[in-house]
Amino acid sequence: MMNYFPDEVLEHVFDFVTSHRDRNAVSLVCKLWFRVERFSRQRVFIGNCYAISPERLVTRFPGVKALTLKGKPHFADFNLVPQDWGGYVQPWIEALARSRIGLEELRLKRMVVSDESLDVLSRSFTNFKSLVLVSCEGFTTDGLSAIAANCRFLRELDLQENEIEEKKNHWLGCFPDSCTSLVSLNFACLKEINLVALEKLVARNPNLKSLKLNRAVPLEALQRILMRAPQLVDLGTGSFVLDHDSDDSETYRKLKATILKCRSIRNLSGFLEVTPRCLPAIYPICFNLTYLNLSYAAGIHGSELIKLIRFCGKLQRLWILDYIGDKGLEVVASTCKDLQELRVFPSDFFGAGHAAVTETGLVAISTGCPKLNSLLYFCQQMTNAALIAVAKNCPNFIRFRLCILDPTKPDPVTMQPLDEGFGAIVQSSKRLRRLSLSGLLTDRVFLYIGMYAEQLEMLSIAFAGESDKGMVYVLNGCKKLRKLEIRDSPFGDMALLRDVGKYETMRSLWMSSCEVTLGACKTLAEKMPRLNVEIINENDQMEFGHEDSEKVEKMYLYRTLVGPRKDAPEFVWTLV
Amino acid sequence: MQGVGVLGGATRSGSISTLSMEDNNLVLSSEDSSSPDESELELGLGLSLGGTACKPQQHYARILTAKDFPSVGSSVSVSASSSSSSSSSSCSSSLSRANVTAGTKRSADSVAAANGASQVVGWPPIRSYRMNTLVNQAKLPATEEFNSLIGNSKNSNTVAGKGTNNCSDKNNGSAKENGRLRSSLFVKVNMDGTPIGRKVDLSAHRCYETLAQTLEDMFHTSTSTISSIRSSGEEHDKATRSSKMLEGSSDFVLTYEDKDGDWMLVGDVPWGMFINSVRRLKIMRTSEAKGLAPRSEERNGRQRTNPI
């Protein structure tokens, strides 16, 4: 029936189909739909930049306006992937520029971005509006100058947790006076900023809704900025510090008065440096906050932290350091009844053993916040009983990531592995999509995951399991698995080769410090030409020969339509 | 001497019972410049290498310190794997991991390991950006060397954090010396009712428990105890060690003046924070310390703020 409609009608119908998956599904129905869909597609998501080539993107989707690209594997965040591994955005930008695509939005994660890429980007797309860089590296503030100077209609520049080399230029001053279209600006990851340019920029951009400052912005400047931008919805403070020497009571008074006018703030973050006695200035906006991120606020702890939380009754997302403690989490549980997402980050990386949060805090949260659906929890210890209670209280988890700082720690009460606890979680949260495990775990937990985690898409395993069976349970059972990353676990060749076809249904598999041998990887690569099986070898391999029985230190495999990548460094071998 | 001070980090099973036998040695050594934690680590190593109570699965790289790395033939397992062949291979592979620093950001982990902090590469799984930022902010004394190495490992001339290398200027007497991450940090201690004050070297301690024990000994408070050493989120097993310092029932509380001039109860903040902000200590009578609730904003009278 649909075949008798003109293409425009189909296109109009497809306009209502917005999620990537749905549009992908639409394109598979028939050739007509494929054709109509590809010309009308504006937003493209590429989860692995090596799965497809820039040329094919451009050929298939000539109308693309918004592109998301991800580069390095997730474990690169934790220094498991060497520098120069890859993930360069340059070929993408060049290809898009060459084909005169009207790119407007670019979102990159874990990619290498150069100043040249940014320069080409800024000059090639006249309607370019939004640049979001997350955990990227390779560029300097010169690249930012190009963006500022050349993107006449820029609305969003969002720099999240990037490694940026800062030069002496004042890149912020490169925004021309005619730039009045900014809606979102985040430079929290930079160390310096030109304050004068910043204040002028804020003053002439009345549509600014999201502003995240860095620690070079002092309290006095924050006050002046907020005066200019009371319409902000999303605020990241920089330095929230009052010196004794300055006329602090006046500044503080003005700040309090100004903040009272900022009635729209719903998301608050920053506090990269804090004088805790200034915190009462923000109490008035706490009431309406739905997102509070204090995970970098090392200066707020103990009683001040808890007092602040008590004002935030409408919180839906809370990111915090484990200074909050179990007692503080009880306060969160009694205050934030709408809480959906909680992330508790560790303050003490080197394990001096200061008890921060334990299972007690998590159980308290689960009791008080039944809407909880997303959790990232770094803790000293966890018990099966607690996990079972949490599973019962909160059956709606979509993301459940638990990190016990001692990664093979058993239940300290029973000395048992945590299999039953995680088993309870996967059994009760039927919509679970992402899971990270830790603690002492046997193959049994994987049996449970394979049995119950039907919607699971991403699984992170570290120091867990006893035999190949564990991995096999997961590969067999989790039909929707897309990303599997494993480190320091005793899974080997049998598990790897058990179902080679499975990997084409997934985005990628990472295995490091496991039992997988070079020979098995070669076998896999031979059998599956549409997988790139990459071995990362950092040691000087001239010393020993390459026996097939040799264990592979790091393996990363991913499905791809374009064969081995041409930009692999010499320590990455792509097996064929 | 009643009660046993809880040493930071001694919460792992298998090491507790042994430590209690060694208490006297550890407490005596708390007055020395060597940290009791290091001797605890040595004991732990002694146990594990001797292979007494602990099963291989319960070992992992936390127990390794820089002393282990040179000895490649160590039998200490570094993974949770129970098969011996894999444990030796992963042992050697982690050794080689620890030694490879070129071209990677893992120098941070190697340094931490070399400091005796026993890091597994890439664990805990926190983005390096976050780690670097928080380490710079917290300005833990042990991380000064860490920070300068972070700066060196980057392939750029990025300044490694505002104020990172200025930490030593702000810290009272903790000038960084070659190879030593801490030197003395003496602060004055006064006790209500005692005219003569003392001094205590805070760098000799790594946690509140040993500090409180030391102060108890110093001021001979055998009948009354110093209380209110609370870490947020302390585990239940600490209470079972019946340290007087952890209970609220006593005549005295331990307080400190921070660098802002405010008096706070000792124990609320992580040790590293405390070390960086403490100027002097005072053992106050509980009755006089009533108004000194750390939760109040009225501590120093300089700022009166009214919550809305």
Side-chain angles (χ1 to χ4, degrees):
Chain A
M1 190 54 171
M2 292 286 269
N3 289 346
Y4 298 113
F5 291 162
D7 289 359
E8 295 79 29
V9 174
L10 274 181
E11 204 179 295
H12 182 67
V13 171
F14 292 170
D15 277 349
F16 295 97
V17 180
T18 45
S19 89
H20 294 296
R21 288 184 203 191
D22 289 345
R23 288 205 71 120
N24 292 347
V26 157
S27 69
L28 292 174
V29 167
C30 64
K31 285 189 177 162
L32 171 65
W33 283 33
F34 180 86
R35 180 165 54 77
V36 173
E37 196 282 321
R38 70 177 258 251
F39 283 112
S40 61
R41 176 101 84 155
Q42 294 189 345
R43 313 191 71 86
V44 174
F45 170 87
I46 297 177
N48 174 7
C49 65
Y50 292 118
I52 193 74
S53 70
E55 291 71 31
R56 288 183 65 163
L57 163 71
V58 152
T59 310
R60 180 169 169 191
F61 298 117
V64 64
K65 291 197 163 56
L67 176 63
T68 300
L69 279 173
K70 295 190 183 180
K72 301 183 202 176
H74 175 233
F75 275 176
D77 279 351
F78 318 130
N79 297 338
L80 289 176
V81 175
Q83 294 280 78
D84 305 325
W85 174 87
Y88 306 103
V89 77
Q90 180 73 4
W92 293 88
I93 293 183
E94 282 175 359
L96 291 160
R98 265 198 307 271
S99 13
R100 307 187 189 288
I101 296 240
L103 191 70
E104 294 182 10
E105 299 173 32
L106 185 62
R107 187 187 172 98
L108 304 177
K109 188 167 185 182
R110 280 191 289 269
M111 293 198 74
V112 178
V113 180
S114 64
D115 285 344
E116 194 201 333
S117 303
L118 292 175
D119 191 58
V120 173
L121 177 67
S122 72
R123 290 178 199 285
S124 310
F125 309 106
T126 43
N127 277 333
F128 193 74
K129 293 190 174 64
S130 163
L131 180 63
V132 179
L133 302 177
V134 181
S135 291
C136 296
E137 52 164 355
F139 60 105
T140 77
T141 47
D142 285 347
L144 298 179
S145 296
I147 297 288
N150 303 327
C151 300
R152 291 168 54 210
F153 303 113
L154 194 69
R155 286 201 205 141
E156 176 172 33
L157 178 60
D158 186 355
L159 307 169
Q160 295 178 31
E161 304 195 342
N162 301 292
E163 307 271 357
I164 305 175
E165 181 187 336
E166 295 180 55
K167 302 223 169 139
K168 292 297 180 205
N169 66 335
H170 293 306
W171 67 275
L172 204 64
C174 294
F175 279 107
D177 289 343
S178 54
C179 168
T180 56
S181 50
L182 277 179
V183 172
S184 166
L185 178 64
N186 173 5
F187 57 89
C189 63
L190 292 176
K191 307 214 170 53
E192 306 296 336
I193 200 70
N194 180 334
L195 281 178
V196 170
L198 174 62
E199 294 185 39
K200 286 190 189 163
L201 187 68
V202 172
R204 67 178 184 274
N205 280 280
N207 294 323
L208 201 59
K209 292 278 186 298
S210 172
L211 180 62
K212 292 182 185 157
L213 309 170
N214 69 0
R215 74 177 69 203
V217 180
L219 206 61
E220 299 79 23
L222 172 65
Q223 185 270 325
R224 290 194 295 271
I225 286 167
L226 289 177
M227 282 282 284
R228 304 281 200 177
Q231 76 283 1
L232 283 179
V233 172
D234 191 356
L235 172 65
T237 67
S239 174
F240 208 76
V241 166
L242 275 181
D243 295 324
H244 293 302
D245 301 340
S246 62
D247 184 10
D248 56 1
S249 53
E250 180 60 20
T251 309
Y252 186 63
R253 194 191 56 75
K254 282 203 282 193
L255 178 70
K256 279 174 52 167
T258 308
I259 286 183
L260 276 174
K261 300 203 183 97
C262 300
R263 302 226 147 265
S264 306
I265 296 181
R266 298 287 173 271
N267 306 324
L268 186 60
S269 60
F271 301 96
L272 308 171
E273 286 171 351
V274 164
T275 306
R277 62 190 168 84
C278 300
L279 286 177
I282 61 161
Y283 293 162
I285 49 177
C286 288
F287 298 104
N288 286 322
L289 288 182
T290 53
Y291 172 47
L292 178 61
N293 180 353
L294 295 178
S295 64
Y296 286 102
I300 309 179
H301 34 73
S303 49
E304 290 112 10
L305 179 55
I306 292 179
K307 187 163 186 190
L308 185 63
I309 299 283
R310 283 197 200 277
F311 286 106
C312 304
K314 293 193 191 161
L315 274 188
Q316 295 173 13
R317 297 166 60 206
L318 176 62
W319 293 25
I320 202 140
L321 287 168
D322 62 6
Y323 295 146
I324 187 124
D326 286 336
K327 291 276 176 246
L329 287 176
E330 284 171 26
V331 175
V332 173
S334 62
T335 309
C336 309
K337 292 309 195 183
D338 288 335
L339 197 67
Q340 294 175 27
E341 175 176 328
L342 176 67
R343 297 197 188 192
V344 180
F345 292 94
S347 53
D348 175 8
F349 312 126
F350 303 124
H354 294 296
V357 295
T358 69
E359 74 276 11
T360 308
L362 185 60
V363 171
I365 290 284
S366 73
T367 312
C369 310
K371 292 187 196 172
L372 196 67
N373 62 38
S374 175
L375 180 74
L376 172 62
Y377 197 74
F378 285 84
C379 58
Q380 290 289 332
Q381 61 182 48
M382 186 53 57
T383 64
N384 282 311
L387 285 174
I388 291 168
V390 169
K392 188 151 152 276
N393 295 334
C394 298
N396 298 315
F397 280 114
I398 300 173
R399 278 172 234 106
F400 190 91
R401 298 157 68 188
L402 186 71
C403 178
I404 303 171
L405 289 169
D406 175 347
T408 56
K409 189 167 183 164
D411 179 330
V413 173
T414 63
M415 299 314 292
Q416 293 299 304
L418 291 176
D419 302 332
E420 299 306 313
F422 280 105
I425 294 286
V426 295
Q427 196 173 355
S428 111
S429 284
K430 307 210 186 312
R431 286 192 285 260
L432 192 68
R433 295 206 303 255
R434 182 168 180 183
L435 179 65
S436 300
L437 307 170
S438 61
L440 185 65
L441 295 164
T442 71
D443 286 342
R444 197 159 181 80
V445 71
F446 300 111
L447 174 68
Y448 293 142
I449 291 173
M451 272 170 68
Y452 296 113
E454 291 175 8
Q455 302 299 318
L456 195 66
E457 296 178 6
M458 180 169 178
L459 179 62
S460 307
I461 302 171
F463 303 97
E466 301 160 301
S467 75
D468 284 333
K469 284 201 290 194
M471 185 168 161
V472 172
Y473 290 142
V474 170
L475 292 175
N476 277 348
C478 299
K479 302 298 182 201
K480 300 220 175 155
L481 196 62
R482 290 189 301 120
K483 289 181 283 183
L484 180 58
E485 46 187 25
I486 307 173
R487 62 166 293 183
D488 293 276
S489 300
F491 306 136
D493 297 346
M494 190 282 271
L496 181 71
L497 295 176
R498 175 69 170 262
D499 178 6
V500 296
K502 172 78 174 175
Y503 306 122
E504 272 194 14
T505 70
M506 292 166 54
R507 186 189 298 175
S508 64
L509 168 67
W510 167 282
M511 291 181 77
S512 60
S513 305
C514 296
E515 301 295 311
V516 169
T517 67
L518 185 58
C521 294
K522 285 182 181 172
T523 306
L524 179 57
E526 256 181 64
K527 287 188 180 179
M528 302 296 294
R530 285 193 301 208
L531 295 181
N532 278 351
V533 180
E534 294 184 6
I535 309 292
I536 296 173
N537 271 300
E538 295 161 274
N539 305 317
D540 183 4
Q541 288 300 300
M542 287 318 182
E543 284 181 20
F544 28 126
H546 310 306
E547 302 284 333
D548 279 1
S549 58
E550 202 178 298
K551 294 228 175 79
V552 160
E553 180 56 32
K554 292 176 184 171
M555 178 202 71
Y556 179 56
L557 66 82
Y558 52 89
R559 68 180 175 189
T560 178
L561 294 177
V562 291
R565 57 187 174 111
K566 304 194 179 40
D567 61 5
E570 48 177 46
F571 56 81
V572 171
W573 305 341
T574 307
L575 303 177
V576 283
Chain B
M1 176 173 59
Q2 311 157 12
V4 167
V6 175
L7 298 178
T11 55
R12 247 154 238 103
S13 61
S15 51
I16 295 168
S17 54
T18 315
L19 278 175
S20 60
M21 295 190 292
E22 310 291 337
D23 276 345
N24 287 334
N25 294 340
L26 292 170
V27 172
L28 283 172
S29 70
S30 69
E31 289 280 52
D32 303 338
S33 55
S34 68
S35 159
D37 244 13
E38 282 172 9
S39 49
E40 172 212 346
L41 274 175
E42 282 164 27
L43 284 175
L45 278 173
L47 279 178
S48 61
L49 286 174
T52 52
C54 302
K55 296 193 179 53
Q57 288 95 295
Q58 288 172 3
H59 289 188
Y60 77 109
R62 275 194 74 84
I63 303 172
L64 292 180
T65 67
K67 297 172 198 145
D68 279 11
F69 288 145
S71 56
V72 178
S74 164
S75 60
V76 175
S77 160
V78 300
S79 76
S81 159
S82 47
S83 75
S84 55
S85 60
S86 63
S87 67
S88 57
S89 68
S90 46
C91 178
S92 55
S93 60
S94 75
L95 289 177
S96 60
R97 273 205 300 278
N99 291 333
V100 173
T101 55
T104 77
K105 295 178 198 169
R106 282 170 300 129
S107 55
D109 299 306
S110 306
V111 170
N115 287 345
S118 311
Q119 275 289 76
V120 179
V121 173
W123 194 269
I126 301 172
R127 268 190 195 158
S128 20
Y129 172 87
R130 180 177 287 279
M131 240 188 205
N132 298 344
T133 307
L134 277 174
V135 157
N136 290 346
Q137 284 176 347
K139 294 176 190 164
L140 300 172
T143 60
E144 285 172 68
E145 196 161 293
F146 171 95
N147 290 339
S148 55
L149 272 161
I150 292 279
N152 291 341
S153 72
K154 285 189 180 156
N155 57 352
S156 64
N157 8 340
T158 308
V159 172
K162 177 175 141 183
T164 303
N165 297 318
N166 297 331
C167 301
S168 48
D169 300 332
K170 295 183 186 157
N171 280 342
N172 173 7
S174 62
K176 193 176 66 148
E177 297 163 56
N178 271 350
R180 281 196 65 195
L181 298 171
R182 274 187 291 259
S183 55
S184 336
L185 184 56
F186 280 97
V187 296
K188 287 190 190 166
V189 192
N190 284 81
M191 179 163 156
D192 274 355
T194 306
I196 300 185
R198 303 287 301 271
K199 274 197 168 187
V200 65
D201 181 3
L202 289 179
S203 66
H205 300 273
R206 279 226 206 169
C207 63
Y208 293 116
E209 287 73 20
T210 58
L211 174 63
Q213 191 67 60
T214 304
L215 292 175
E216 272 192 45
D217 294 341
M218 247 185 207
F219 289 88
H220 303 296
T221 53
S222 51
T223 51
S224 54
T225 62
I226 301 168
S227 75
S228 82
I229 310 290
R230 292 182 298 276
S231 330
S232 61
E234 67 194 35
E235 298 122 326
H236 54 274
D237 55 353
K238 278 191 181 173
T240 64
R241 268 170 230 130
S242 64
S243 167
K244 297 175 294 187
M245 297 167 271
L246 301 177
E247 305 307 320
S249 55
S250 84
D251 298 335
F252 289 92
V253 292
L254 183 58
T255 65
Y256 72 102
E257 183 184 19
D258 72 1
K259 54 187 178 203
D260 290 334
D262 301 332
W263 286 92
M264 330 254 275
L265 285 175
V266 167
D268 272 350
V269 310
W271 180 257
M273 300 245 112
F274 167 68
I275 285 282
N276 279 292
S277 55
V278 63
R279 274 211 237 135
R280 54 187 166 136
L281 296 167
K282 191 166 186 180
I283 304 171
M284 282 191 195
R285 290 210 178 81
T286 313
S287 48
E288 290 189 29
K290 278 297 183 214
L292 191 77
R295 283 116 192 102
S296 115
E297 294 294 323
E298 302 139 19
R299 281 192 296 278
N300 57 358
R302 202 181 315 178
Q303 288 273 2
R304 312 271 329 175
T305 62
N306 295 315
I308 292 156

